[in-house]
Amino acid sequence: MAMIPSLFGNNTTIFDPFSFNMFDPSTETSAAISNTRIDWKETPEAHIFKADVPGLKKEEVKVEVEEGKVLRISGERSVEKEDKNDTWHRTERSSGKFTRRFRLPENVKMDQIKATMENGVLCVVVPKEGEKKREVKNIEICG
């Protein structure tokens, strides 16, 4: 199965219902997107997203919900101002805009999403709705 997505590029939405279609023309992309690493884990109470955004202030990062069920994490890392007298020996840090989108499952509480940022790590907690109990009604058999 690992070879199938590589034959069609990185478009894995066929295989992963929670991934976002990278080939959507409305998707913003840049070189910085590949450097924005995000972990997504699910606990019994919530979906938790952790994104590495070192060097960014919370004002430079946005967390939004699009179309009701798509979590969007975006931001911009500015290019450092260059002085003509400086001699650069190496530049490895990326700059530019990044956007990551995740399709959320149906069982989340959209109005209770919380985001915090500490030590260059953005943490977004999306609480889950409680399990709906199946109501079973016994029907008496007459006759």
Side-chain angles (χ1 to χ4, degrees), residues 42-113:
E42 180 177 357
T43 68
E45 298 81 28
H47 292 271
I48 300 170
F49 297 83
K50 289 190 177 184
D52 288 339
V53 288
L56 293 181
K57 299 175 189 143
K58 67 180 185 177
E59 296 82 17
E60 297 172 317
V61 178
K62 282 186 183 178
V63 178
E64 303 166 304
V65 176
E66 300 176 332
E67 301 172 12
K69 293 291 181 183
V70 177
L71 177 69
R72 178 181 171 190
I73 299 172
S74 62
E76 184 171 3
R77 183 172 289 121
S78 301
V79 178
E80 226 176 271
K81 292 181 182 178
E82 293 185 28
D83 187 346
K84 292 182 181 181
N85 297 326
D86 292 342
T87 302
W88 289 87
H89 295 282
R90 181 179 299 255
T91 56
E92 294 181 348
R93 297 183 301 146
S94 61
S95 62
K97 294 181 180 182
F98 67 89
T99 300
R100 296 292 305 271
R101 293 180 176 151
F102 302 91
R103 187 172 294 119
L104 297 172
E106 294 294 322
N107 67 336
V108 297
K109 296 178 182 177
M110 302 302 289
D111 57 337
Q112 296 181 14
I113 297 174

Side-chain angles (χ1 to χ4, degrees), residues 7-27:
L7 294 174
F8 300 105
N10 289 330
N11 186 1
T12 59
T13 56
I14 297 168
F15 308 105
D16 182 2
F18 300 118
S19 68
F20 190 79
N21 187 351
M22 294 295 291
F23 297 103
D24 183 350
S26 65
T27 304

